[in-house]
Amino acid sequence: MKQEFMKKIVESHAGEVEFHQAVSELVASVMPYIKKNPKYLKANILERIVEPERVIIFRVPWVDDQGRVQVNRGYRVQMNSAIGPYKGGLRFHPSVNLSILKFLAFEQVFKNSLTTLALGGGKGGANFDPKGKSDNEIMRFCQSFMTELQRHIGPDIDIPAGDIGVGAREIGFLYGQYKRLRNEFTGVLTGKGVNWGGSLIRPEATGYGCVYFVQEMLKTKGDSLEGKVCAVSGSGNVAQHTAAKLIQLGAKVVSLSDSSGCVYDPDSFCQEKLTFVKKLKNIKRGRIREYADKYKCKYFDCRRPWNFKCDIAFPSATQNEINATDAKNLIKNGCICVGEGANMPCTPEAVKIFLKAKILYGPGKAANAGGVSVSGLEMAQNSQRLSWDSQEVDAKLKQIMAKIHNQCLCYGKEKGFINYLKGANIAGFVKVADAMLDQGVV
Ligand code: NDP
Ligand code: 2IT
Protein backbone atom coordinates (compact mmCIF):
# COMPACT_ATOMS: atom_id res chain seq x y z
CA MET A 1 0.00 0.00 0.00
CA LYS A 2 2.84 2.39 0.83
CA GLN A 3 4.63 1.53 -2.42
CA GLU A 4 1.49 2.11 -4.43
CA PHE A 5 0.92 5.45 -2.71
CA MET A 6 4.52 6.57 -3.23
CA LYS A 7 4.40 5.57 -6.89
CA LYS A 8 1.53 8.01 -7.39
CA ILE A 9 3.38 10.75 -5.47
CA VAL A 10 6.51 10.30 -7.57
CA GLU A 11 4.47 10.46 -10.77
CA SER A 12 2.34 13.44 -9.85
CA HIS A 13 5.13 15.50 -8.22
CA ALA A 14 7.70 14.61 -10.86
CA GLY A 15 11.35 15.24 -10.06
CA GLU A 16 10.67 16.67 -6.59
CA VAL A 17 13.03 14.34 -4.76
CA GLU A 18 13.17 16.14 -1.42
CA PHE A 19 9.38 16.28 -1.32
CA HIS A 20 9.18 12.54 -2.10
CA GLN A 21 11.64 11.88 0.73
CA ALA A 22 9.62 13.83 3.30
CA VAL A 23 6.32 12.26 2.25
CA SER A 24 7.77 8.75 2.19
CA GLU A 25 9.10 9.11 5.73
CA LEU A 26 5.76 10.32 7.09
CA VAL A 27 3.70 7.77 5.20
CA ALA A 28 5.85 4.89 6.47
CA SER A 29 4.92 5.88 10.03
CA VAL A 30 1.25 6.72 9.57
CA MET A 31 0.14 4.07 7.07
CA PRO A 32 -0.16 1.28 9.69
CA TYR A 33 -2.07 3.70 11.95
CA ILE A 34 -4.44 4.68 9.15
CA LYS A 35 -5.12 1.04 8.37
CA LYS A 36 -6.28 0.61 11.95
CA ASN A 37 -8.41 3.78 11.73
CA PRO A 38 -10.39 3.50 8.46
CA LYS A 39 -12.12 6.88 8.95
CA TYR A 40 -8.96 8.47 7.52
CA LEU A 41 -9.00 6.11 4.54
CA LYS A 42 -12.64 6.79 3.80
CA ALA A 43 -12.03 10.54 3.72
CA ASN A 44 -8.90 10.11 1.59
CA ILE A 45 -6.94 12.17 4.14
CA LEU A 46 -3.49 11.04 3.04
CA GLU A 47 -4.08 11.99 -0.61
CA ARG A 48 -5.42 15.39 0.51
CA ILE A 49 -2.73 16.12 3.09
CA VAL A 50 0.12 15.75 0.56
CA GLU A 51 -1.48 18.23 -1.85
CA PRO A 52 -0.59 21.88 -1.04
CA GLU A 53 -3.70 24.03 -0.58
CA ARG A 54 -2.02 26.68 -2.72
CA VAL A 55 1.39 27.37 -4.29
CA ILE A 56 2.36 30.88 -5.33
CA ILE A 57 5.35 31.40 -7.64
CA PHE A 58 6.44 34.87 -8.64
CA ARG A 59 9.08 36.97 -10.34
CA VAL A 60 11.39 39.02 -8.09
CA PRO A 61 13.19 41.69 -10.11
CA TRP A 62 15.74 43.95 -8.41
CA VAL A 63 18.66 46.21 -9.28
CA ASP A 64 22.17 45.43 -8.01
CA ASP A 65 24.78 47.97 -6.87
CA GLN A 66 26.21 48.16 -10.40
CA GLY A 67 22.80 49.16 -11.77
CA ARG A 68 22.25 45.77 -13.44
CA VAL A 69 18.76 44.28 -13.42
CA GLN A 70 18.59 40.90 -11.69
CA VAL A 71 15.73 38.42 -11.50
CA ASN A 72 15.01 35.67 -8.99
CA ARG A 73 12.11 33.32 -8.44
CA GLY A 74 10.00 33.71 -5.30
CA TYR A 75 7.67 31.12 -3.76
CA ARG A 76 5.15 30.60 -1.00
CA VAL A 77 3.78 27.11 -0.43
CA GLN A 78 0.56 27.29 1.63
CA MET A 79 0.39 23.65 2.56
CA ASN A 80 -2.31 23.15 5.17
CA SER A 81 -4.57 25.47 7.19
CA ALA A 82 -6.74 22.88 8.98
CA ILE A 83 -5.60 23.86 12.48
CA GLY A 84 -4.55 27.49 12.00
CA PRO A 85 -3.19 30.09 9.57
CA TYR A 86 -0.24 29.05 7.38
CA LYS A 87 2.97 29.47 9.36
CA GLY A 88 6.57 28.80 8.42
CA GLY A 89 9.83 30.39 7.40
CA LEU A 90 11.32 31.92 4.27
CA ARG A 91 14.56 30.53 2.85
CA PHE A 92 16.89 32.58 0.65
CA HIS A 93 19.47 30.24 -0.87
CA PRO A 94 20.58 29.51 -4.45
CA SER A 95 19.43 25.87 -4.09
CA VAL A 96 15.80 26.84 -3.37
CA ASN A 97 13.28 25.21 -5.70
CA LEU A 98 9.72 23.92 -5.50
CA SER A 99 10.76 20.49 -4.25
CA ILE A 100 12.73 21.88 -1.31
CA LEU A 101 9.98 24.30 -0.32
CA LYS A 102 7.28 21.63 -0.60
CA PHE A 103 9.28 19.28 1.63
CA LEU A 104 9.81 22.07 4.15
CA ALA A 105 6.13 23.12 4.06
CA PHE A 106 5.07 19.48 4.48
CA GLU A 107 7.35 18.98 7.50
CA GLN A 108 6.08 22.27 8.91
CA VAL A 109 2.45 21.07 8.95
CA PHE A 110 3.21 18.21 11.35
CA LYS A 111 5.80 20.15 13.34
CA ASN A 112 3.34 22.97 13.93
CA SER A 113 0.70 20.46 14.94
CA LEU A 114 3.08 19.06 17.59
CA THR A 115 3.70 22.51 19.12
CA THR A 116 0.19 22.38 20.70
CA LEU A 117 -0.46 25.84 19.18
CA ALA A 118 -3.03 26.67 16.49
CA LEU A 119 -0.69 26.93 13.52
CA GLY A 120 -1.12 25.62 9.99
CA GLY A 121 1.90 24.95 7.79
CA GLY A 122 3.63 26.82 4.98
CA LYS A 123 7.08 27.71 3.68
CA GLY A 124 8.50 30.10 1.14
CA GLY A 125 11.62 31.73 -0.15
CA ALA A 126 13.66 32.45 -3.23
CA ASN A 127 16.63 31.11 -5.19
CA PHE A 128 18.47 34.28 -4.17
CA ASP A 129 22.02 34.03 -2.84
CA PRO A 130 22.60 36.55 -0.04
CA LYS A 131 26.37 35.76 0.00
CA GLY A 132 28.49 38.67 -1.14
CA LYS A 133 25.53 41.05 -1.45
CA SER A 134 25.62 44.51 0.13
CA ASP A 135 23.03 45.54 2.74
CA ASN A 136 21.44 47.78 0.09
CA GLU A 137 21.14 44.89 -2.36
CA ILE A 138 19.57 42.73 0.35
CA MET A 139 17.12 45.53 1.13
CA ARG A 140 16.13 46.00 -2.51
CA PHE A 141 15.67 42.28 -2.95
CA CYS A 142 13.54 42.00 0.22
CA GLN A 143 11.40 44.96 -0.86
CA SER A 144 10.76 43.47 -4.29
CA PHE A 145 10.02 40.03 -2.78
CA MET A 146 7.52 41.52 -0.31
CA THR A 147 5.87 43.71 -2.97
CA GLU A 148 4.39 40.52 -4.42
CA LEU A 149 4.20 38.36 -1.29
CA GLN A 150 2.17 40.94 0.68
CA ARG A 151 -1.02 40.22 -1.25
CA HIS A 152 -0.94 36.56 -0.17
CA ILE A 153 -0.16 36.88 3.56
CA GLY A 154 -1.62 38.54 6.66
CA PRO A 155 -1.58 38.17 10.45
CA ASP A 156 -4.58 35.78 10.32
CA ILE A 157 -3.79 34.27 6.90
CA ASP A 158 -0.13 33.37 6.56
CA ILE A 159 2.71 34.47 8.84
CA PRO A 160 6.23 33.96 7.43
CA ALA A 161 9.44 34.00 9.49
CA GLY A 162 13.15 33.27 8.96
CA ASP A 163 15.01 30.18 7.79
CA ILE A 164 18.36 29.73 5.98
CA GLY A 165 19.52 33.12 4.69
CA VAL A 166 16.69 35.01 6.35
CA GLY A 167 17.53 36.45 9.77
CA ALA A 168 16.90 39.66 11.71
CA ARG A 169 18.20 41.91 8.90
CA GLU A 170 15.97 40.41 6.21
CA ILE A 171 12.88 40.26 8.47
CA GLY A 172 13.39 43.99 9.15
CA PHE A 173 13.47 44.90 5.45
CA LEU A 174 10.53 42.60 4.66
CA TYR A 175 8.45 44.01 7.52
CA GLY A 176 9.21 47.62 6.56
CA GLN A 177 7.96 47.03 3.01
CA TYR A 178 4.83 45.16 4.18
CA LYS A 179 3.95 48.01 6.55
CA ARG A 180 4.50 50.60 3.87
CA LEU A 181 2.35 48.84 1.28
CA ARG A 182 -0.47 47.79 3.60
CA ASN A 183 -0.39 50.68 6.05
CA GLU A 184 -0.83 48.35 8.99
CA PHE A 185 1.31 47.41 11.99
CA THR A 186 0.43 43.80 12.75
CA GLY A 187 2.13 40.53 13.60
CA VAL A 188 2.40 39.43 9.95
CA LEU A 189 5.99 38.22 10.34
CA THR A 190 7.74 36.65 13.31
CA GLY A 191 11.37 37.04 14.28
CA LYS A 192 10.86 40.80 14.40
CA GLY A 193 13.19 43.10 16.37
CA VAL A 194 12.24 43.31 20.06
CA ASN A 195 11.65 47.07 19.79
CA TRP A 196 8.97 46.61 17.15
CA GLY A 197 6.92 43.57 18.15
CA GLY A 198 9.49 40.78 18.26
CA SER A 199 9.55 38.26 21.09
CA LEU A 200 12.45 37.82 23.47
CA ILE A 201 14.02 34.35 23.04
CA ARG A 202 12.74 33.96 19.43
CA PRO A 203 16.30 34.12 18.00
CA GLU A 204 17.44 31.53 20.55
CA ALA A 205 14.32 29.37 20.44
CA THR A 206 15.18 26.72 17.84
CA GLY A 207 18.58 25.95 19.32
CA TYR A 208 17.44 26.13 22.95
CA GLY A 209 14.35 24.06 22.15
CA CYS A 210 16.43 21.37 20.47
CA VAL A 211 18.65 21.12 23.54
CA TYR A 212 15.59 20.95 25.83
CA PHE A 213 14.19 18.14 23.67
CA VAL A 214 17.47 16.23 23.91
CA GLN A 215 17.40 16.71 27.69
CA GLU A 216 13.95 15.10 27.74
CA MET A 217 15.20 12.17 25.65
CA LEU A 218 18.22 11.68 27.92
CA LYS A 219 15.97 11.78 30.99
CA THR A 220 14.17 8.65 29.77
CA LYS A 221 17.51 6.86 30.25
CA GLY A 222 18.24 8.57 33.57
CA ASP A 223 21.00 10.51 31.81
CA SER A 224 21.84 14.23 31.42
CA LEU A 225 23.89 16.62 29.27
CA GLU A 226 26.54 17.15 31.92
CA GLY A 227 29.95 16.40 30.39
CA LYS A 228 28.54 15.12 27.08
CA VAL A 229 30.70 15.74 24.00
CA CYS A 230 28.56 17.30 21.28
CA ALA A 231 29.21 17.69 17.56
CA VAL A 232 27.21 20.59 16.12
CA SER A 233 27.06 21.39 12.40
CA GLY A 234 26.26 24.77 10.88
CA SER A 235 27.21 28.11 12.40
CA GLY A 236 24.04 30.10 11.76
CA ASN A 237 21.07 30.87 13.97
CA VAL A 238 20.25 27.30 15.05
CA ALA A 239 23.85 26.14 15.54
CA GLN A 240 24.91 29.21 17.52
CA HIS A 241 22.11 28.97 20.07
CA THR A 242 22.29 25.18 20.30
CA ALA A 243 25.98 25.50 21.17
CA ALA A 244 25.34 28.33 23.66
CA LYS A 245 22.70 26.35 25.58
CA LEU A 246 24.79 23.17 25.56
CA ILE A 247 27.76 25.00 27.06
CA GLN A 248 25.52 26.62 29.66
CA LEU A 249 24.26 23.18 30.69
CA GLY A 250 27.74 21.71 31.12
CA ALA A 251 28.20 19.89 27.81
CA LYS A 252 31.30 20.18 25.58
CA VAL A 253 30.79 21.48 22.04
CA VAL A 254 33.66 20.40 19.78
CA SER A 255 32.57 21.42 16.28
CA LEU A 256 30.78 23.94 14.10
CA SER A 257 30.70 24.15 10.30
CA ASP A 258 29.52 26.09 7.28
CA SER A 259 29.00 25.24 3.63
CA SER A 260 32.78 25.37 3.05
CA GLY A 261 34.01 23.07 5.83
CA CYS A 262 34.13 22.37 9.56
CA VAL A 263 36.24 23.25 12.60
CA TYR A 264 37.19 20.84 15.39
CA ASP A 265 37.99 22.36 18.77
CA PRO A 266 38.74 19.54 21.25
CA ASP A 267 39.04 22.12 24.07
CA SER A 268 35.35 22.94 23.52
CA PHE A 269 33.72 26.17 22.48
CA CYS A 270 32.90 28.59 25.31
CA GLN A 271 30.68 31.69 25.47
CA GLU A 272 33.62 33.93 24.51
CA LYS A 273 34.48 31.83 21.46
CA LEU A 274 30.81 31.81 20.48
CA THR A 275 30.72 35.61 20.64
CA PHE A 276 33.53 35.52 18.08
CA VAL A 277 31.48 33.12 15.89
CA LYS A 278 28.37 35.32 16.16
CA LYS A 279 30.30 38.42 15.07
CA LEU A 280 32.01 36.44 12.31
CA LYS A 281 28.81 34.96 10.85
CA ASN A 282 26.13 37.57 11.67
CA ILE A 283 28.02 40.85 11.17
CA LYS A 284 31.20 40.20 9.18
CA ARG A 285 29.49 37.39 7.25
CA GLY A 286 32.82 35.55 7.08
CA ARG A 287 33.78 31.87 6.89
CA ILE A 288 34.09 29.40 9.80
CA ARG A 289 37.68 28.75 8.69
CA GLU A 290 38.56 32.08 10.37
CA TYR A 291 37.65 30.53 13.74
CA ALA A 292 40.36 27.90 13.30
CA ASP A 293 42.91 30.62 12.44
CA LYS A 294 41.96 32.63 15.52
CA TYR A 295 41.82 29.78 18.07
CA LYS A 296 44.55 27.61 16.50
CA CYS A 297 42.46 24.52 16.00
CA LYS A 298 41.89 22.21 13.04
CA TYR A 299 39.85 23.16 9.99
CA PHE A 300 38.66 20.52 7.51
CA ASP A 301 37.82 21.88 4.08
CA CYS A 302 34.67 20.49 2.41
CA ARG A 303 34.01 18.20 5.39
CA ARG A 304 31.16 17.78 7.86
CA PRO A 305 31.71 17.09 11.57
CA TRP A 306 30.47 13.48 11.72
CA ASN A 307 33.87 11.78 11.93
CA PHE A 308 34.72 13.20 15.34
CA LYS A 309 34.15 11.25 18.53
CA CYS A 310 31.00 12.56 20.18
CA ASP A 311 28.17 11.47 22.47
CA ILE A 312 25.50 13.59 20.78
CA ALA A 313 25.17 14.96 17.25
CA PHE A 314 23.24 18.14 16.49
CA PRO A 315 22.91 18.50 12.71
CA SER A 316 21.93 22.18 12.44
CA ALA A 317 22.84 23.26 8.90
CA THR A 318 20.70 21.78 6.12
CA GLN A 319 18.85 18.77 4.64
CA ASN A 320 20.61 15.46 3.99
CA GLU A 321 23.83 16.46 5.72
CA ILE A 322 24.17 13.07 7.48
CA ASN A 323 24.34 10.10 5.09
CA ALA A 324 24.65 6.38 5.81
CA THR A 325 28.46 6.52 6.09
CA ASP A 326 28.26 9.45 8.50
CA ALA A 327 25.62 7.62 10.56
CA LYS A 328 27.79 4.49 10.77
CA ASN A 329 30.78 6.60 11.81
CA LEU A 330 28.78 8.33 14.51
CA ILE A 331 27.55 5.03 15.95
CA LYS A 332 31.05 3.50 15.74
CA ASN A 333 32.43 6.50 17.65
CA GLY A 334 29.94 6.04 20.48
CA CYS A 335 27.19 8.51 19.59
CA ILE A 336 24.10 7.80 21.73
CA CYS A 337 21.77 10.55 20.59
CA VAL A 338 20.90 12.76 17.59
CA GLY A 339 18.93 16.02 17.95
CA GLU A 340 17.88 17.37 14.57
CA GLY A 341 18.12 21.18 14.67
CA ALA A 342 17.89 21.32 10.88
CA ASN A 343 14.96 20.09 8.80
CA MET A 344 15.46 16.53 7.43
CA PRO A 345 19.23 16.59 7.96
CA CYS A 346 19.53 12.79 7.86
CA THR A 347 19.04 10.74 4.71
CA PRO A 348 16.51 7.86 4.97
CA GLU A 349 19.44 5.40 5.08
CA ALA A 350 21.01 7.29 7.99
CA VAL A 351 17.71 7.34 9.89
CA LYS A 352 17.38 3.58 9.41
CA ILE A 353 20.85 3.07 10.90
CA PHE A 354 20.01 5.17 13.96
CA LEU A 355 16.72 3.36 14.54
CA LYS A 356 18.35 -0.05 14.11
CA ALA A 357 21.06 0.90 16.61
CA LYS A 358 18.25 2.02 18.96
CA ILE A 359 19.96 5.26 19.87
CA LEU A 360 17.90 8.29 20.91
CA TYR A 361 16.96 9.81 17.55
CA GLY A 362 14.99 13.10 17.78
CA PRO A 363 13.52 13.95 14.36
CA GLY A 364 13.46 17.60 13.26
CA LYS A 365 9.73 18.03 13.32
CA ALA A 366 9.85 17.41 17.07
CA ALA A 367 13.35 18.51 18.06
CA ASN A 368 13.48 21.81 16.16
CA ALA A 369 9.88 22.86 16.80
CA GLY A 370 10.99 25.37 19.45
CA GLY A 371 11.54 28.07 16.83
CA VAL A 372 8.07 28.03 15.39
CA SER A 373 6.65 27.58 18.90
CA VAL A 374 8.13 30.87 20.05
CA SER A 375 6.94 32.37 16.74
CA GLY A 376 3.46 31.31 17.89
CA LEU A 377 4.14 32.99 21.23
CA GLU A 378 5.27 36.13 19.37
CA MET A 379 1.93 36.14 17.52
CA ALA A 380 0.09 35.80 20.84
CA GLN A 381 2.03 38.75 22.29
CA ASN A 382 1.33 40.86 19.17
CA SER A 383 -2.41 40.14 19.42
CA GLN A 384 -2.40 41.10 23.08
CA ARG A 385 -0.20 44.18 22.44
CA LEU A 386 2.05 42.94 25.23
CA SER A 387 5.56 41.59 25.53
CA TRP A 388 6.56 38.90 27.96
CA ASP A 389 9.95 38.83 29.67
CA SER A 390 12.56 36.32 28.63
CA GLN A 391 12.06 34.05 31.66
CA GLU A 392 8.38 33.73 30.85
CA VAL A 393 9.00 32.90 27.18
CA ASP A 394 11.82 30.49 28.02
CA ALA A 395 9.63 28.70 30.60
CA LYS A 396 6.83 28.35 28.03
CA LEU A 397 9.32 27.04 25.44
CA LYS A 398 10.55 24.40 27.91
CA GLN A 399 6.96 23.35 28.65
CA ILE A 400 6.16 23.07 24.95
CA MET A 401 9.26 20.94 24.25
CA ALA A 402 8.28 18.63 27.13
CA LYS A 403 4.75 18.35 25.73
CA ILE A 404 6.12 17.52 22.28
CA HIS A 405 8.27 14.84 23.88
CA ASN A 406 5.21 13.41 25.64
CA GLN A 407 3.29 13.24 22.37
CA CYS A 408 6.20 11.29 20.84
CA LEU A 409 6.02 8.84 23.77
CA CYS A 410 2.28 8.51 23.33
CA TYR A 411 2.60 7.06 19.80
CA GLY A 412 6.25 5.99 19.65
CA LYS A 413 6.72 3.45 22.45
CA GLU A 414 8.00 0.10 21.22
CA LYS A 415 9.40 -2.81 23.24
CA GLY A 416 12.26 -1.34 25.26
CA PHE A 417 12.70 1.51 22.80
CA ILE A 418 11.12 4.85 21.93
CA ASN A 419 10.70 5.37 18.20
CA TYR A 420 10.53 9.18 18.22
CA LEU A 421 10.15 9.29 14.44
CA LYS A 422 7.02 7.20 14.50
CA GLY A 423 5.73 9.03 17.59
CA ALA A 424 6.21 12.51 16.11
CA ASN A 425 4.76 11.57 12.73
CA ILE A 426 1.61 9.95 14.10
CA ALA A 427 0.97 12.57 16.80
CA GLY A 428 1.50 15.42 14.31
CA PHE A 429 -0.72 13.71 11.75
CA VAL A 430 -3.66 12.87 14.02
CA LYS A 431 -4.39 16.47 15.06
CA VAL A 432 -4.35 17.79 11.48
CA ALA A 433 -6.23 14.80 10.06
CA ASP A 434 -8.96 15.03 12.71
CA ALA A 435 -9.41 18.74 11.97
CA MET A 436 -9.71 17.91 8.27
CA LEU A 437 -12.37 15.30 9.04
CA ASP A 438 -14.32 17.86 11.10
CA GLN A 439 -14.16 20.46 8.35
CA GLY A 440 -15.46 18.32 5.50
CA VAL A 441 -14.15 17.98 1.97
CA VAL A 442 -12.44 21.36 1.42
P1 NDP B 1 21.29 30.19 8.86
O1 NDP B 1 21.18 30.77 7.50
O2 NDP B 1 21.33 31.08 10.04
O3 NDP B 1 22.52 29.19 8.96
C1 NDP B 1 22.65 28.13 8.07
C2 NDP B 1 23.95 27.42 8.35
O4 NDP B 1 23.98 26.21 7.61
C3 NDP B 1 25.16 28.22 7.90
O5 NDP B 1 26.25 27.86 8.71
C4 NDP B 1 25.35 27.73 6.47
O6 NDP B 1 26.67 27.87 5.98
C5 NDP B 1 25.01 26.26 6.62
N1 NDP B 1 24.47 25.74 5.35
C6 NDP B 1 23.42 26.23 4.65
N2 NDP B 1 23.23 25.53 3.53
C7 NDP B 1 24.19 24.58 3.52
C8 NDP B 1 24.54 23.55 2.63
N3 NDP B 1 23.84 23.36 1.49
N4 NDP B 1 25.59 22.75 2.96
C9 NDP B 1 26.29 22.95 4.09
N5 NDP B 1 26.03 23.93 4.97
C10 NDP B 1 24.98 24.71 4.70
O7 NDP B 1 20.02 29.20 8.96
P2 NDP B 1 19.35 28.55 10.27
O8 NDP B 1 20.37 28.32 11.31
O9 NDP B 1 18.14 29.34 10.59
O10 NDP B 1 18.83 27.15 9.68
C11 NDP B 1 19.59 25.96 9.78
C12 NDP B 1 18.67 24.77 9.65
O11 NDP B 1 17.70 24.79 10.70
C13 NDP B 1 17.83 24.69 8.36
O12 NDP B 1 17.65 23.34 8.02
C14 NDP B 1 16.50 25.30 8.77
O13 NDP B 1 15.45 24.87 7.92
C15 NDP B 1 16.38 24.73 10.17
N6 NDP B 1 15.47 25.41 11.08
C16 NDP B 1 15.60 26.74 11.33
C17 NDP B 1 14.74 27.36 12.22
C18 NDP B 1 14.88 28.80 12.60
O14 NDP B 1 14.15 29.22 13.47
N7 NDP B 1 15.79 29.55 12.02
C19 NDP B 1 13.65 26.61 12.88
C20 NDP B 1 13.68 25.19 12.61
C21 NDP B 1 14.55 24.63 11.73
P3 NDP B 1 27.10 29.19 5.15
O15 NDP B 1 27.35 30.24 6.18
O16 NDP B 1 28.31 28.77 4.40
O17 NDP B 1 25.95 29.51 4.24
O1 2IT C 1 11.62 25.39 10.01
C1 2IT C 1 11.09 26.16 10.86
O2 2IT C 1 10.36 25.72 11.76
C2 2IT C 1 11.40 27.59 10.78
N1 2IT C 1 12.19 28.00 9.94
C3 2IT C 1 10.73 28.56 11.71
C4 2IT C 1 9.34 28.88 11.23
C5 2IT C 1 8.64 29.97 11.98
O3 2IT C 1 7.55 30.33 11.51
O4 2IT C 1 9.11 30.46 13.00
Side-chain angles (χ1 to χ4, degrees):
M1 194 171 155
K2 189 207 160 191
Q3 268 177 347
E4 224 174 275
F5 182 83
M6 282 313 300
K7 192 165 167 268
K8 271 201 235 157
I9 292 290
V10 169
E11 275 166 16
S12 59
H13 304 260
E16 296 177 356
V17 288
E18 292 85 1
F19 182 59
H20 303 162
Q21 184 182 335
V23 171
S24 169
E25 181 222 273
L26 183 104
V27 168
S29 301
V30 302
M31 201 69 111
Y33 182 81
I34 288 179
K35 278 191 193 152
K36 280 192 228 141
N37 295 275
K39 61 182 177 181
Y40 300 118
L41 271 183
K42 206 171 144 217
N44 233 352
I45 291 292
L46 214 46
E47 278 80 352
R48 283 158 63 196
I49 222 166
V50 296
E51 198 64 41
E53 288 179 13
R54 193 175 297 104
V55 177
I56 300 136
I57 303 183
F58 50 97
R59 180 206 292 165
V60 190
W62 56 283
V63 181
D64 70 17
D65 286 346
Q66 282 71 46
R68 288 178 306 221
V69 176
Q70 306 275 354
V71 188
N72 288 95
R73 190 171 299 161
Y75 303 82
R76 187 71 183 166
V77 179
Q78 296 181 333
M79 198 79 194
N80 194 298
S81 62
I83 62 167
Y86 309 108
K87 178 84 195 90
L90 296 171
R91 178 176 290 192
F92 291 168
H93 194 271
S95 65
V96 161
N97 58 32
L98 191 56
S99 172
I100 289 181
L101 293 180
K102 276 169 70 177
F103 116 64
L104 288 164
F106 187 72
E107 287 284 295
Q108 199 81 47
V109 170
F110 307 100
K111 180 195 306 192
N112 291 5
S113 163
L114 288 169
T115 65
T116 70
L117 306 172
L119 300 170
K123 200 88 187 190
N127 62 348
F128 170 75
D129 188 357
K131 282 203 186 73
K133 304 288 191 295
S134 69
D135 284 353
N136 276 329
E137 288 176 322
I138 298 285
M139 181 176 74
R140 286 196 294 275
F141 178 80
C142 287
Q143 289 177 341
S144 180
F145 183 86
M146 185 51 91
T147 300
E148 174 57 33
L149 187 68
Q150 57 91 19
R151 67 183 93 248
H152 308 288
I153 61 175
D156 295 312
I157 301 170
D158 183 353
I159 306 92
D163 193 79
I164 291 178
V166 177
R169 173 181 62 167
E170 291 74 19
I171 293 291
F173 294 146
L174 291 163
Y175 193 78
Q177 184 73 349
Y178 181 88
K179 188 165 62 65
R180 185 184 199 189
L181 292 170
R182 300 285 286 255
N183 194 24
E184 64 173 49
F185 197 107
T186 55
V188 66
L189 298 178
T190 58
K192 300 184 291 299
V194 281
N195 293 334
W196 44 278
S199 176
L200 289 164
I201 307 290
R202 175 60 190 92
E204 294 85 352
T206 311
Y208 282 16
C210 189
V211 175
Y212 297 152
F213 191 84
V214 163
Q215 272 187 312
E216 293 292 329
M217 293 201 292
L218 290 171
K219 255 197 250 166
T220 65
K221 303 256 180 198
D223 205 348
S224 80
L225 280 168
E226 184 71 42
K228 292 284 182 302
V229 176
C230 301
V232 179
S233 68
S235 48
N237 170 280
V238 179
Q240 290 170 17
H241 297 291
T242 296
K245 183 52 79 177
L246 285 171
I247 295 163
Q248 203 189 84
L249 294 173
K252 268 180 81 174
V253 176
V254 294
S255 72
L256 286 178
S257 70
D258 63 18
S259 54
S260 309
C262 70
V263 292
Y264 178 62
D265 188 343
D267 295 335
S268 177
F269 285 75
C270 59
Q271 302 297 351
E272 182 222 310
K273 290 174 178 177
L274 275 185
T275 304
F276 174 85
V277 172
K278 283 182 190 170
K279 274 198 197 137
L280 174 68
K281 296 305 278 188
N282 308 355
I283 298 167
K284 241 186 96 194
R285 300 189 188 270
R287 311 306 301 155
I288 200 68
R289 178 192 292 117
E290 296 168 52
Y291 176 91
D293 299 340
K294 162 98 179 160
Y295 291 103
K296 309 274 171 275
C297 64
K298 280 197 175 138
Y299 171 74
F300 299 88
D301 206 29
C302 298
R303 292 267 296 280
R304 296 178 294 214
W306 314 128
N307 277 313
F308 309 134
K309 197 170 165 45
C310 69
D311 300 307
I312 311 180
F314 287 90
S316 311
T318 193
Q319 64 273 2
N320 292 328
E321 56 169 313
I322 296 186
N323 61 24
T325 311
D326 300 325
K328 280 182 205 151
N329 279 336
L330 282 167
I331 302 274
K332 192 182 74 197
N333 286 328
C335 177
I336 56 159
C337 177
V338 177
E340 292 189 340
N343 284 306
M344 207 169 75
C346 300
T347 64
E349 297 75 27
V351 174
K352 234 181 240 165
I353 289 165
F354 293 142
L355 293 179
K356 192 161 170 237
K358 299 201 168 179
I359 66 162
L360 297 167
Y361 165 69
K365 60 173 76 68
N368 73 37
V372 73
S373 299
V374 175
S375 278
L377 302 181
E378 182 169 325
M379 289 161 64
Q381 293 170 76
N382 292 163
S383 299
Q384 288 184 303
R385 304 269 187 259
L386 287 175
S387 41
W388 305 334
D389 63 33
S390 44
Q391 285 88 340
E392 188 172 353
V393 180
D394 196 29
K396 286 191 161 70
L397 170 63
K398 254 186 217 156
Q399 271 171 14
I400 289 173
M401 297 315 295
K403 283 190 204 162
I404 296 174
H405 184 264
N406 275 340
Q407 293 177 75
C408 293
L409 295 191
C410 183
Y411 291 100
K413 271 197 182 142
E414 292 176 357
K415 256 195 203 139
F417 169 62
I418 301 160
N419 185 336
Y420 285 93
L421 181 67
K422 182 171 124 192
N425 281 338
I426 299 179
F429 170 82
V430 166
K431 185 175 169 190
V432 178
D434 286 350
M436 289 173 75
L437 287 181
D438 290 345
Q439 291 169 19
V441 180
V442 292

